[in-house]
Amino acid sequence: RTVLKYFNMPPVQVTLTSDAYSQGSGLASSSSYTISLIKACCLFLKITMMESDTCKLAYKLERIYNPYCGYQDPYGCGVGGFKRIEFINDDCIKYEFLSTELFDKYDTHLVFTGVTRNSKKILKNVTDNLEKVKPILTTVASAYQSLIQKDYQFFFKYLNRGWQQKKETSSSICENEIIKEIDYLLENDSSVLAHKLCGAGNGGFFLVFSDKDNLNIPYESVKINLSPEGVCGESI
């Protein structure tokens, strides 16, 4: 409704679909839907909008109905590829596109926990304790350097460390018993090189790295790949 109202759309029927369970999944589904609907409206109204402007508008509109939306969701969804995004201020967003060799050497899976949640409660808890988040910045920087140097074993080490640090920012991130059980199993499974829970936490999907065709866990998983295009792959 927020997007349709912004574009002053005439009466239309809107259908949204997803390849993965989207409600409370931690996969930025709300940003994906928002930015996709913006593109659909632009196509319908024959409006040309630059990629950066599409992402900026998606963030602005989502903040109206989701005040805890972060920059990373619309900008991550709107621009495809494997990338490092630096947010300096509202008008300065820098992208650095990284080598995708990691995904040629290792498999990446999503493991659905069967648990969904409302992220707002968790994010509010985290924003009230921002000092606990700061150590993750150092880990992110180290993980980035390991990717640049193609030292993937260290990258997995930092990914695991970042997940542990994230859990320490709020008890609500991993308070569900099912989440705890899956987290413990993944942490102690020899076929899992690294894992973390996507999104705010306490539900949705675990992201899991393994050697090629070597993931052996007692949960169903979906192998995922990179999309180089993002929502603005076509001209709008």
Side-chain angles (χ1 to χ4, degrees):
R1 287 196 301 268
T2 302
V3 174
L4 298 178
K5 181 178 179 181
Y6 175 84
F7 283 98
N8 194 26
M9 289 286 289
V12 291
Q13 178 176 313
V14 178
T15 302
L16 300 171
T17 62
S18 173
D19 292 329
Y21 190 90
S22 59
Q23 184 177 7
S25 65
L27 298 180
S29 56
S30 59
S31 293
S32 298
Y33 284 141
T34 301
I35 204 167
S36 296
L37 189 52
I38 289 173
K39 178 175 180 179
C41 290
C42 287
L43 289 171
F44 184 89
L45 298 170
K46 295 181 173 56
I47 296 173
T48 300
M49 186 175 291
M50 298 294 291
E51 190 174 68
S52 58
D53 293 330
T54 304
C55 295
K56 185 175 182 178
L57 177 59
Y59 174 74
K60 174 185 174 181
L61 295 182
E62 186 169 355
R63 291 278 294 185
I64 294 174
Y65 59 87
N66 178 15
Y68 294 104
C69 170
Y71 282 106
Q72 75 284 350
D73 285 354
Y75 283 90
C77 295
V79 178
F82 187 44
K83 54 198 177 289
R84 177 180 184 265
I85 313 176
E86 185 177 0
F87 303 98
I88 300 173
N89 54 51
D90 289 345
D91 297 313
C92 188
I93 316 296
K94 293 184 178 180
Y95 288 92
E96 178 184 355
F97 292 92
L98 306 175
S99 167
T100 59
E101 182 183 290
L102 171 71
F103 302 96
D104 297 328
K105 294 178 176 292
Y106 302 95
D107 280 340
T108 313
H109 287 79
L110 287 176
V111 178
F112 185 43
T113 63
V115 179
T116 60
R117 79 290 180 271
N118 188 318
S119 63
K120 293 179 182 178
K121 177 183 176 182
I122 300 171
L123 291 174
K124 183 180 186 306
N125 193 303
V126 172
T127 56
D128 289 340
N129 298 278
L130 287 179
E131 286 300 317
K132 294 182 179 180
V133 178
K134 290 182 179 180
I136 300 179
L137 296 175
T138 301
T139 302
V140 170
S142 298
Y144 165 74
Q145 288 300 323
S146 66
L147 279 174
I148 296 299
Q149 297 166 7
K150 298 185 179 181
D151 191 339
Y152 299 128
Q153 294 306 311
F154 269 99
F155 171 72
F156 295 140
K157 171 186 173 182
Y158 291 125
L159 187 65
N160 286 325
R161 179 185 294 177
W163 168 231
Q164 292 299 323
Q165 290 173 319
K166 181 174 178 177
K167 287 189 287 186
E168 293 170 3
T169 62
S170 170
S171 60
S172 62
I173 286 176
C174 199
E175 65 181 0
N176 183 282
E177 292 302 320
I178 296 176
I179 301 297
K180 289 180 180 179
E181 178 183 341
I182 299 175
D183 183 38
Y184 177 82
L185 186 145
L186 295 177
E187 185 176 350
N188 292 278
D189 192 295
S190 59
S191 69
V192 176
L193 300 175
H195 77 285
K196 70 180 295 292
L197 198 59
C198 298
N202 209 41
F205 290 82
F206 274 100
L207 177 69
V208 178
F209 283 90
S210 68
D211 287 318
K212 282 290 181 182
D213 301 315
N214 192 43
L215 184 63
N216 183 25
I217 57 175
Y219 302 106
E220 291 186 0
S221 64
V222 178
K223 187 183 294 186
I224 59 174
N225 296 304
L226 288 171
S227 169
E229 292 184 345
V231 76
C232 296
E234 301 177 14
S235 176
I236 63 174

